[in-house]
Amino acid sequence: MKQKDIDIRPTEGALAENADSKYIIKHLLQVPVLVAALGYLVDMYDLFLFSVVRVPSLLSLGTSQERLLDDGIILLNLQMAGLLIGGIFWGILGDKRGRLSVLFGSILIYSLANIANGFVTSFEQYAVLRFIAGVGLAGELGAGITLVAEVLPRKIRGYGTTLVATMGVLGAVLAYFVADLFAWRISYFIGGGLGLLLLVLRMRIFESGIFVKMKEKNVQRGNVLMLFNNKKRFLKYLKCILVGLPIWFVVGILITFSPEFGKALGITEPVNAGKAVMFSFTGQVLGDLASGFLSQYFQSRRKIISVFMLISFVMAATYLLFPTKDIAVFYAICALLGFANGYWTLFVTIAAEMFGTNLRATVATSAPNFVRGAIIPLTAVFIYLKMSWGIIYAASAVGLLTFVIALIALKYLEETFNKDLNYVEEN
């Protein structure tokens, strides 16, 4: 793979090797960093609000108890299909037109879709709007992480991406508390309103200096075919995606369908999906912070990801194969699963660091959404195996597959901690 160096470095304190706390805080308080973090909070609020209100919303639309799992998977898959399509669209747009175009367009679409979700009267309407919301949600994380990675100096950009990812996880926790206080329709209205308020704040954001200078160069921007016309570049992209699979196995299957797993495991009380999401993402807040700071301390993304992936494997095995009858212990396991999922911070950071400026938004936006969208085949395999193996062993088989694939991909993934971002990808 060829890389062409161009002079697109940040101008302020770009390579401070010994950044002190004041230096770090000064850069983290920049408007683009703060607004990207708040945007991901609203993004995750909407993304996981459905997991929290799945049961009451479907019941109010007339879904039977027997159809809750199957209809929930249909809606989840439609949302993820929207994320897949949106991930490609917004990523290309971010490299062609700029990071800000994505941050404005995506939040407008998912905010309006969120509000519309509060007015649905049928399953079919719900399905269409979850797909549209998915398309809008797809752009937020990748564009925000790309902007933060390009605005911050190299040695502290891990702190910035940690802040963004942590705020996003707090959005998922917020979804639980809002849904607990308000009816599911009102919860959707609140999410949409928060998004529209944030849209006003984004009027103050400035574009990445790296991107502005890159636009002056004669290079192809946002050409998604460049990810496939070079074997080394394609394999790098594929490995980046595969590393994130266990995260969405945990979130999309173990946590989202925790009530069904609770019944199968013989837990004495009914499991509340909203509480499982809340405990999981409370744990992930701590996991995001821990993984981000540990990667800065050890100056390695890969080493810390491997540790968190091992913790995730152990906790998933505990969840499925060493059941507890105590619901409090079950929620504690959900929290530990969430903590292990904290390597999501490092996953999205690597996606932004791995590729040149002319493909950075395309990769940083599409890779996380391909990981999210992987829940479609994962749930398809899960449902197929469930018919003959039962819910526990079906989930165990799917989980083992995702962890094996992710560990193999991680073994061959490049370290990006000290990587400079002042280059572009060539054909």
Side-chain angles (χ1 to χ4, degrees):
M1 179 181 64
K2 296 180 179 179
Q3 296 173 350
K4 183 173 70 175
D5 290 339
I6 55 178
D7 183 19
I8 47 178
R9 298 172 182 268
T11 57
E12 185 179 358
L15 296 177
E17 296 290 337
N18 300 308
D20 59 20
S21 58
K22 290 182 179 180
Y23 178 86
I24 294 171
I25 293 171
K26 173 186 175 183
H27 282 81
L28 293 185
L29 291 180
Q30 292 183 77
V31 173
V33 178
L34 294 177
V35 176
L38 290 172
Y40 191 40
L41 182 149
V42 177
D43 174 289
M44 288 286 278
Y45 171 96
D46 181 42
L47 188 62
F48 287 98
L49 181 61
F50 170 71
S51 295
V52 177
V53 303
R54 172 178 64 95
V55 173
S57 63
L58 286 174
L59 287 175
S60 72
L61 294 176
T63 301
S64 65
Q65 287 282 350
E66 294 75 21
R67 289 289 306 172
L68 285 177
L69 177 61
D70 291 340
D71 284 358
I73 287 177
I74 290 172
L75 292 177
L76 178 64
N77 285 348
L78 283 169
Q79 176 176 284
M80 295 307 168
L83 285 164
L84 282 173
I85 294 171
I88 297 171
F89 170 75
W90 294 117
I92 293 172
L93 187 68
D95 280 326
K96 287 186 176 293
R97 301 296 300 273
R99 291 44 169 143
L100 296 188
S101 63
V102 178
L103 291 177
F104 281 107
S106 63
I107 198 170
L108 179 62
I109 290 176
Y110 73 71
S111 296
L112 294 177
N114 225 359
I115 292 171
N117 268 273
F119 291 105
V120 297
T121 57
S122 69
F123 177 81
E124 291 75 19
Q125 291 176 0
Y126 208 0
V128 171
L129 288 170
R130 289 323 300 160
F131 173 79
I132 295 173
V135 172
L137 290 165
E140 189 67 39
L141 175 60
I145 290 292
T146 300
L147 183 63
V148 169
E150 292 178 343
V151 166
L152 292 178
R154 179 175 64 185
K155 289 297 180 181
I156 67 167
R157 64 184 177 228
Y159 292 119
T161 56
T162 297
L163 174 62
V164 174
T166 302
M167 288 294 288
V169 176
L170 286 173
V173 177
L174 178 64
Y176 164 75
F177 286 107
V178 170
D180 189 52
L181 292 172
F182 302 97
W184 67 272
R185 294 183 186 275
I186 301 299
S187 299
Y188 276 122
F189 294 151
I190 291 172
L194 289 173
L196 294 178
L197 286 174
L198 186 58
L199 186 62
V200 175
L201 289 178
R202 288 197 166 162
M203 300 296 178
R204 298 181 59 195
I205 296 183
F206 54 85
E207 184 60 88
S208 156
I210 284 180
F211 176 79
V212 171
K213 292 181 180 179
M214 186 269 294
K215 283 180 67 177
E216 301 171 359
K217 308 296 178 178
N218 184 25
V219 294
Q220 290 194 57
R221 305 195 308 272
N223 182 358
V224 71
L225 295 179
M226 290 177 65
L227 294 173
F228 304 97
N229 65 8
N230 179 290
K231 181 180 178 181
K232 185 177 179 180
R233 190 156 49 213
F234 169 72
L235 289 177
K236 184 169 64 170
Y237 181 56
L238 181 62
K239 286 181 288 186
C240 182
I241 293 170
L242 295 179
V243 165
L245 289 182
I247 296 174
W248 277 82
F249 161 72
V250 170
V251 172
I253 294 180
L254 299 187
I255 300 300
T256 296
F257 303 110
S258 53
E260 288 80 3
F261 282 106
K263 289 180 182 178
L265 293 169
I267 295 176
T268 52
E269 299 177 42
V271 174
N272 183 296
K275 285 187 177 180
V277 170
M278 186 272 292
F279 281 110
S280 173
F281 282 97
T282 299
Q284 192 171 332
V285 169
L286 299 177
D288 278 329
L289 291 171
S291 70
F293 282 100
L294 285 171
S295 74
Q296 289 294 127
Y297 181 79
F298 290 102
Q299 297 192 20
S300 173
R301 315 284 189 219
R302 291 178 68 253
K303 290 179 182 177
I304 306 305
I305 287 178
S306 64
V307 171
F308 275 72
M309 203 178 288
L310 178 61
I311 297 172
S312 183
F313 177 80
V314 171
M315 295 316 305
T318 302
Y319 179 105
L320 291 167
L321 303 178
F322 301 95
T324 176
K325 303 295 182 182
D326 189 332
I327 195 166
V329 175
F330 179 82
Y331 286 138
I333 293 172
C334 289
L336 290 171
L337 278 168
F339 178 84
N341 270 1
Y343 80 86
W344 178 255
T345 291
L346 303 184
F347 163 73
V348 296
T349 303
I350 285 176
E353 294 173 336
M354 261 193 176
F355 291 81
T357 307
N358 56 325
L359 282 180
R360 188 164 297 129
T362 299
V363 173
T365 304
S366 62
N369 287 304
F370 274 118
V371 172
R372 290 166 169 172
I375 198 63
I376 298 174
L378 291 180
T379 53
V381 174
F382 169 60
I383 292 297
Y384 175 78
L385 294 178
K386 182 173 73 75
M387 293 186 291
S388 54
W389 291 12
I391 188 172
I392 301 301
Y393 290 112
S396 299
V398 173
L400 180 62
L401 177 65
T402 61
F403 280 104
V404 169
I405 291 173
L407 285 169
I408 294 173
L410 180 63
K411 180 180 179 181
Y412 297 101
L413 198 68
E414 68 175 284
E415 179 60 66
T416 62
F417 181 84
N418 283 312
K419 191 170 184 179
D420 202 346
L421 302 185
N422 67 328
Y423 70 93
V424 295
E425 305 285 344
E426 287 190 331
N427 284 329

